[in-house]
Amino acid sequence: EIEMILKPWASFMSAMAKNKFNTLATHLAEDFAYYAENGIPHPRKLRAQQKNQEVKKGLSAFYLLAFLAGTLIPLYFIFKFIQDEGAINLSVFVNQLFANYAASTFSSDLLICSFIFWVFMIRDKKNKDLPNNLFFIFLNLTIGLSSAFPLYLYFREKSK
């Protein structure tokens, strides 16, 4: 038996929460009993595991496609910039990144998101077998976050 006591401000959720807890408790009891009697997980759990594997495969494919798009599209513009300038001119590139308020908005947003990605990646690395973080940082700095982040997520998904 489960007794649920909610704060007054959350009382509107009591009916929904009660229903969810009852369903969860019923499923847990059924799963335990089925496993104890048969020595294998409940068919409902097996179906859920299979569905999770299918979702994982779909996510991996999505991350690879996002990596390809996130690499090819920025590379197109990088090559156009090099073609226009005749060489890699870093000072002109940085000046154009912050040429006006609109460009500065996108550039500063991208720089902040890149930094957050690096911190997340370094923290996340402790628990997973992933390629070296410097590879993703290099990719982020040379092509962009749209290339590094999906590739990182692809490897992260594969390491689960």
Side-chain angles (χ1 to χ4, degrees), residues 67 70-71 117 136-137 139-140 144-153:
F67 162 71
T71 301
F117 168 57
F136 297 109
I137 292 172
L139 197 59
N140 185 195
L145 184 61
S146 64
S147 177
F149 189 49
L151 188 61
Y152 175 79
L153 292 175

Side-chain angles (χ1 to χ4, degrees), residues 7-97:
K7 299 284 182 180
W9 59 266
S11 61
F12 71 94
M13 296 178 8
S14 65
M16 180 180 62
K18 233 182 223 185
N19 186 29
K20 288 289 182 185
F21 279 126
N22 286 337
T23 302
L24 178 63
T26 302
H27 284 182
L28 284 173
E30 287 173 359
D31 288 352
F32 182 71
Y34 190 90
Y35 186 79
E37 292 170 5
N38 301 300
I40 59 172
H42 193 283
R44 176 181 50 243
K45 186 168 185 168
L46 293 174
R47 283 191 304 274
Q49 287 173 340
Q50 183 180 7
K51 185 178 177 184
N52 286 342
Q53 287 298 322
E54 291 168 4
V55 168
K56 186 176 178 180
K57 286 179 187 177
L59 270 177
S60 294
F62 171 75
Y63 291 146
L64 274 181
L65 288 173
F67 162 71
L68 288 174
T71 301
L72 296 176
I73 293 169
L75 279 177
Y76 170 79
F77 290 109
I78 290 169
F79 289 132
K80 292 301 259 180
F81 174 80
I82 293 170
Q83 187 179 28
D84 288 351
E85 292 298 315
I88 298 175
N89 191 337
L90 203 52
S91 64
V92 172
F93 187 80
V94 172
N95 284 338
Q96 288 184 7
L97 283 176

